[in-house]
Amino acid sequence: MTDRKKYPHGSIFLGRDERTYGKEGTGSIAYDPDFECGGPEGTPNRKCPYTLEEGEEMGKGGKFGGDDRLLHVGLASHRDPLCPKTLFFMFTKASKPHLIRVRIVQQNDPELDVDCLEKYCELMAERDGVKDGSTDCPYKDQIYVHRIHAKDAKGPTYARGLLSIDIASDYEKGLVSEQDFCLSMDSHMNFEEHFDTSMIEMWEMAQNEYAVLSTYVDSDEHLGKANREVPHLCMVMFTSSVRTHATKACTGLTKPKLTNGVYGAGLSFSKCHAELKVPVDVHTPWVFDGEEFNRAARYWTYGYDIYTPHKVFILHNYHESQSNPKTTSWMRTIDRKEFSEANKRINTIIDVPGGYKESDKIDSLKKSKYGLGDRRTLDQLIQFSGIDLRNRKPTIDGKNRCGNLQWVDFIEHPKGVNYIPKFDEHENPLDTPDPTSVWYEADQIIDVEKRFPERQAAPNPEQMAIDGENVDQTELPKEGDIGGVPTNAVNMDQTELPVEGDVGGVTTIIEKMDRIDNVIDGIANEEQDIVDSGEVDDGPAQEITPTEDVTDPLQNEFEEDNDPDGEHVYKDDDLLFAIQNNNGIRGGVPDVLSNLLPPVADVDEPIPQKLPLLRSLTDELIKSTSSYPDEHGVKHLPVLLQLTVVMLVIGLVVSIASSRGTGRGGKRSIKKTLCLI
C-alpha cells in the first residue's frame, strides 16, 4: 500500500539518471494534482483545463452523453490468433456491451489464419453451450471487420491509419458522435471486469474535455491484482525519429496524471472528437518508430493533453503475442522507398532532422489533414515536453519532466470542441484560419484577449513552471547533453535499411558511434529501465517494464542481452541530423512562424556529432566539438599543425635529395614521397 502520509495523492518515480537530470530530477516525488492548474483553489491566475460548456454535450446525430454514449474500439490485427479472445473478453467483461462498437483491420492469410470474428462466435457459442450453431452470435452486428490479405500488410501504423479512415467514414454516416468515446489498442488484450464504465469514469476524473488517456499497458499476468504500479511515459530516445523510452511508474495516484505529451499507441482512450481531429496518418507505411510522438505532437497542438491512467483496467498479453513470429512477419516485406518517405514525412511534421527540405512542402504538410493543430505551437510543445526535437536531444535543459507539470492554456476553436476541421481531396485545409489560430497570417494577428476575454491566451513558455520551479528558457542546451537516455539491449550488428545519410545503403560511422553512445550511457548510469512490474507494499514506485509491443521492424529476433529480468527491449538506430530552433509568441497568440520554419541545416551535409567516450574509463567528456568532415587533408588541421606538417615535408624532401642525389632515382623517390603525402 502507498504511504498516504508521505504521498497523499500517490507517488511518481522519476528515475535514477543523476548525470542527466541531477539529484533533484531523480528518485520519487509526491504527485500534486493542484499543480496542474497552477496551485490550489484561491491561487492567483489559477487556470484549469477546459470542460464541456452548455450545449456542447450534444454531438453529431443528436446523441447525448452519459449512458447513451457509445464506445468505439479500434483493433489493428496482423495474423493474430489472440484477436478472437480479445473480442470475447471485451464483450463478456463489459458492463454495457450493447454500447460497444468494434472496428478491426484484419491482415490475415485466409488459408492459414483464424478469422477473428468467426472464432469469436465459436467462443461465444462454447460459452453458451451451443454446438450446432443454431443461435445468433451475440453482438456480431456490433463488429465490423476490414479484411486485408497479409501480403498487403504494411505495419501497425498503416493499419491504424485505415482504422481512422473507417471511423471517419462512419462519422459522416452519422454512426459516430464526437461525444462518443474512442478506444484504440492492440488485438491481444484482456480486461478487468466492468472495464468500459471504469475507463469512462477515469477519463472524467481528469476534468479535461481534451484529455487522452495513454500508456504502455501492464501485462495480463497481473490481471485482478490491486494496487498495481501504472506505467508512466515521459521520456524518449532518438532513432529513425523519436521513440518512447525508459518507462517510469506511478503508484497510488488518486486521478490521472498530466504528462509531458509522450504517448503510447498500445492504449489510447478519449472522446471521439480527438480521434476524428487527429487521425493516424495512413501515409506512414512500415513505420514503427516515431509515429507515437508524431501523433502526440499533433494531439497537443490541437489542444489535447496526454494523461497517464491512475489505474489499470486493460492489460496486454505479452507472452503469447511476442512469442508468435507470424504477427511480425510483415517486417520481411518492407518497401525501402516507402519506408524512407514515411520517415521523412513524420520527421518533417515535428521538425526532427531528416525530413523534407523544401519550404513549400514543409508548410503544406504541417497544415494538412495529418499535420499539426492550430491551438498551440510546436515551440510550446518543445518547452513543455523538454524534448529537443530539432537537435535530436532528449532534454533541452536537463530538467526531468516526468513529475508534476502545469497545464498549458490555449484558445479554443470558436466553433467549439465538437468542430472537426474539413480538408479537400488533396488533404489541404478548407477552412480559413480564424484569428485565434496559430496559422493566422502574422500581419493579421489581433489582440485575442480583447476579442475573446473569456479565454486567456496560452502563456509564454518562459512562465511555465515544472515541479514548482520556473524553467530558465534562455538556458542553452548544455554541452554533453547527448544520449542521456540509457538502453539495456542493443543489437550492434542488426541489418538496417538505408536512411538519408547512408552511403550506398551502408550504415555510416556516425550511426555506429551514436549507437555505442547509448550503450555506454546505459552502463555508466546503471539505470535499469526495464524491471519487473508488481505490487508495492510501501513507499514510492519503481521503474517498471515498458509495456508496449515494440518489436523492431528492422530486427526479427528479441534482444535479451543485459536484460536480467527476462523482459525485452527493442530498438533500431537510424541516424538523424540536427537543425536549428526558433521561438515566437506574439500578442498572446503563438506566432505562426514557429510551426512553419523549415530546417535550416542541409541534411545532405554531415552534421557535427559528439564523439562518445568510454565513461567507464573516465568521467571527462570531450570538450571540443568533434566532427566528421566530408573532406580530409591538411587544411582541416589547426594552423600550427599545418605549419609543422609543411616543415616536416620540406625536411623530408631535402633529406632524400641530399642522400640520393639529383639523378633519376632521386627524383623518382622525391615524387613518390610527395604523392604519398
Side-chain angles (χ1 to χ4, degrees):
M1 299 293 293
T2 301
D3 183 351
R4 288 299 178 189
K5 291 184 179 180
K6 186 176 182 180
Y7 304 108
H9 297 285
S11 65
I12 308 165
F13 179 61
L14 303 178
R16 292 183 287 272
D17 185 6
E18 290 190 15
R19 185 184 65 83
T20 302
Y21 301 107
K23 189 172 183 179
E24 68 280 2
T26 58
S28 294
I29 62 171
Y31 171 51
D32 180 7
D34 284 331
F35 190 82
E36 295 174 3
C37 295
E41 292 284 351
T43 301
N45 301 318
R46 172 182 163 92
K47 182 66 176 177
C48 293
Y50 299 112
T51 54
L52 276 181
E53 294 186 349
E54 185 177 355
E56 289 184 327
E57 71 278 0
M58 181 183 291
K60 186 172 182 177
K63 293 184 180 294
F64 284 83
D67 294 338
D68 294 328
R69 283 198 183 105
L70 298 177
L71 171 57
H72 300 273
V73 180
L75 303 177
S77 173
H78 182 267
R79 308 190 68 184
D80 190 355
L82 299 177
C83 181
K85 286 186 178 180
T86 299
L87 292 180
F88 178 80
F89 293 144
M90 184 189 308
F91 282 103
T92 57
K93 294 186 178 183
S95 293
K96 300 177 180 179
H98 62 285
L99 293 179
I100 295 178
R101 302 293 183 270
V102 181
R103 294 168 183 81
I104 307 170
V105 170
Q106 176 177 274
Q107 304 152 100
N108 275 4
D109 184 334
E111 297 181 0
L112 300 175
D113 303 319
V114 60
D115 184 85
C116 187
L117 181 57
E118 292 178 4
K119 184 62 178 178
Y120 157 77
C121 289
E122 292 178 12
L123 293 173
M124 294 296 276
E126 182 179 342
R127 182 202 66 166
D128 297 335
V130 178
K131 296 182 180 181
D132 57 3
S134 58
T135 60
D136 293 334
C137 178
Y139 312 113
K140 180 179 180 180
D141 293 340
Q142 297 169 212
I143 303 170
Y144 166 73
V145 182
H146 182 161
R147 291 179 172 85
I148 298 174
H149 198 285
K151 64 180 177 61
D152 298 319
K154 297 185 178 183
T157 306
Y158 174 74
R160 290 185 179 118
L162 295 178
L163 283 171
S164 289
I165 292 175
D166 289 341
I167 196 170
S169 176
D170 285 345
Y171 169 72
E172 295 299 329
K173 298 173 185 176
L175 301 176
V176 180
S177 167
E178 304 93 331
Q179 284 298 310
D180 289 342
F181 283 99
C182 278
L183 167 63
S184 176
M185 60 184 181
D186 293 336
S187 59
H188 28 264
M189 313 297 278
N190 206 336
F191 309 85
E192 299 287 3
E193 296 287 344
H194 315 297
F195 77 93
D196 52 338
T197 52
S198 296
M199 289 295 294
I200 293 173
E201 290 170 0
M202 181 164 57
W203 180 90
E204 290 173 342
M205 291 180 69
Q207 296 182 305
N208 183 349
E209 180 66 14
Y210 294 84
V212 178
L213 305 181
S214 181
T215 188
Y216 286 169
V217 293
D218 200 359
S219 170
D220 65 348
E221 295 176 349
H222 301 135
L223 186 68
K225 296 181 180 179
N227 301 316
R228 288 190 300 266
E229 295 176 341
V230 179
H232 176 44
L233 308 181
C234 53
M235 290 187 177
V236 302
M237 66 182 297
F238 286 86
T239 56
S240 58
S241 186
V242 188
R243 166 172 286 187
T244 303
H245 176 67
T247 305
K248 300 300 181 280
C250 297
T251 299
L253 297 183
T254 55
K255 66 182 292 290
K257 179 203 172 300
L258 179 67
T259 76
N260 61 336
V262 180
Y263 166 89
L267 176 70
S268 179
F269 186 89
S270 65
K271 287 284 186 70
C272 285
H273 53 70
E275 175 67 35
L276 294 166
K277 285 181 197 172
V278 191
V280 178
D281 190 349
V282 74
H283 305 300
T284 53
W286 317 111
V287 169
F288 202 74
D289 237 14
E291 85 287 356
E292 290 178 318
F293 196 83
N294 179 278
R295 197 180 193 202
R298 293 167 55 218
Y299 269 133
W300 202 84
T301 52
Y302 267 104
Y304 292 95
D305 298 290
I306 312 300
Y307 286 79
T308 292
H310 71 291
K311 292 185 178 180
V312 178
F313 299 113
I314 301 175
L315 301 99
H316 191 290
N317 188 334
Y318 288 100
H319 176 69
E320 291 185 81
S321 64
Q322 292 184 343
S323 62
N324 185 354
K326 290 200 304 183
T327 60
T328 55
S329 58
W330 60 270
M331 299 176 185
R332 304 169 190 164
T333 59
I334 291 177
D335 183 304
R336 300 187 177 199
K337 183 177 180 181
E338 289 183 348
F339 177 72
S340 176
E341 284 299 306
N343 274 324
K344 284 185 179 181
R345 180 182 178 90
I346 284 178
N347 292 338
T348 296
I349 291 173
I350 58 176
D351 280 3
V352 170
Y356 298 115
K357 295 182 290 184
E358 302 84 358
S359 58
D360 290 345
K361 193 168 188 176
I362 294 171
D363 182 12
S364 176
L365 183 56
K366 287 188 175 183
K367 292 181 180 179
S368 71
K369 179 178 180 178
Y370 299 107
L372 297 173
D374 68 343
R375 299 294 103 188
R376 294 168 173 150
T377 70
L378 191 61
D379 284 324
Q380 286 179 291
L381 175 60
I382 291 172
Q383 297 296 333
F384 177 69
S385 68
I387 301 168
D388 192 350
L389 297 171
R390 298 182 176 118
N391 292 297
R392 206 174 67 88
K393 295 180 180 180
T395 174
I396 58 174
D397 52 17
K399 301 284 186 179
N400 190 326
R401 285 167 170 77
C402 293
N404 295 302
L405 297 173
Q406 186 172 344
W407 175 72
V408 178
D409 195 4
F410 63 94
I411 302 173
E412 286 191 293
H413 196 286
K415 294 184 180 180
V417 67
N418 290 331
Y419 178 70
I420 310 300
K422 304 295 183 182
F423 299 87
D424 63 20
E425 65 274 14
H426 302 295
E427 301 176 356
N428 296 316
L430 293 173
D431 300 329
T432 300
D434 68 271
T436 68
S437 170
V438 301
W439 299 126
Y440 198 68
E441 294 300 328
D443 59 354
Q444 295 178 305
I445 288 180
I446 62 171
D447 190 337
V448 177
E449 292 187 4
K450 291 182 179 179
R451 183 165 180 176
F452 300 96
E454 72 281 4
R455 292 295 187 221
Q456 297 181 13
N460 190 313
E462 295 182 5
Q463 306 298 319
M464 187 174 61
I466 300 175
D467 286 337
E469 297 182 4
N470 288 329
V471 178
D472 182 7
Q473 302 298 336
T474 61
E475 182 181 4
L476 295 175
K478 300 181 182 66
E479 184 174 0
D481 281 350
I482 56 174
V485 182
T487 182
N488 285 6
V490 181
N491 181 5
M492 297 299 295
D493 298 319
Q494 74 180 41
T495 303
E496 298 177 328
L497 295 178
V499 296
E500 190 165 358
D502 282 358
V503 180
V506 180
T507 305
T508 64
I509 184 64
I510 307 178
E511 295 179 77
K512 295 294 184 183
M513 299 300 281
D514 180 60
R515 191 181 313 169
I516 294 170
D517 196 42
N518 280 328
V519 179
I520 295 169
D521 286 342
I523 296 172
N525 297 329
E526 297 182 352
E527 175 160 348
Q528 188 175 341
D529 296 318
I530 314 276
V531 299
D532 285 336
S533 172
E535 188 172 339
V536 175
D537 295 335
D538 285 293
Q542 298 296 315
E543 200 162 6
I544 64 175
T545 304
T547 48
E548 164 71 333
D549 190 359
V550 290
T551 308
D552 198 313
L554 304 178
Q555 179 179 331
N556 293 329
E557 299 290 339
F558 295 96
E559 272 303 315
E560 300 186 5
D561 296 338
N562 302 314
D563 191 10
D565 297 306
E567 300 293 340
H568 304 287
V569 187
Y570 313 89
K571 70 183 289 291
D572 63 18
D573 304 274
D574 295 323
L575 175 67
L576 299 178
F577 300 89
I579 56 176
Q580 301 301 315
N581 190 0
N582 183 79
N583 289 325
I585 300 293
R586 187 182 306 183
V589 180
D591 192 308
V592 62
L593 297 178
S594 62
N595 274 359
L596 287 178
L597 282 175
V600 299
D602 188 342
V603 296
D604 290 332
E605 294 295 325
I607 302 298
Q609 301 286 330
K610 289 284 192 215
L611 281 172
L613 191 62
L614 289 175
R615 299 186 183 96
S616 59
L617 301 178
T618 175
D619 293 328
E620 291 296 319
L621 291 173
I622 295 176
K623 301 301 182 182
S624 61
T625 302
S626 301
S627 62
Y628 299 88
D630 54 348
E631 295 181 37
H632 303 274
V634 175
K635 65 181 181 179
H636 291 287
L637 297 174
V639 175
L640 184 59
L641 286 179
Q642 290 184 34
L643 293 174
T644 303
V645 170
V646 171
M647 294 300 294
L648 287 172
V649 170
I650 293 174
L652 183 59
V653 171
V654 172
S655 175
I656 293 173
S658 61
S659 63
R660 293 179 178 262
T662 56
R664 290 170 113 188
K667 291 180 180 178
R668 280 198 300 267
S669 297
I670 293 173
K671 287 181 179 180
K672 185 176 181 180
T673 301
L674 292 174
C675 289
L676 289 173
I677 294 172

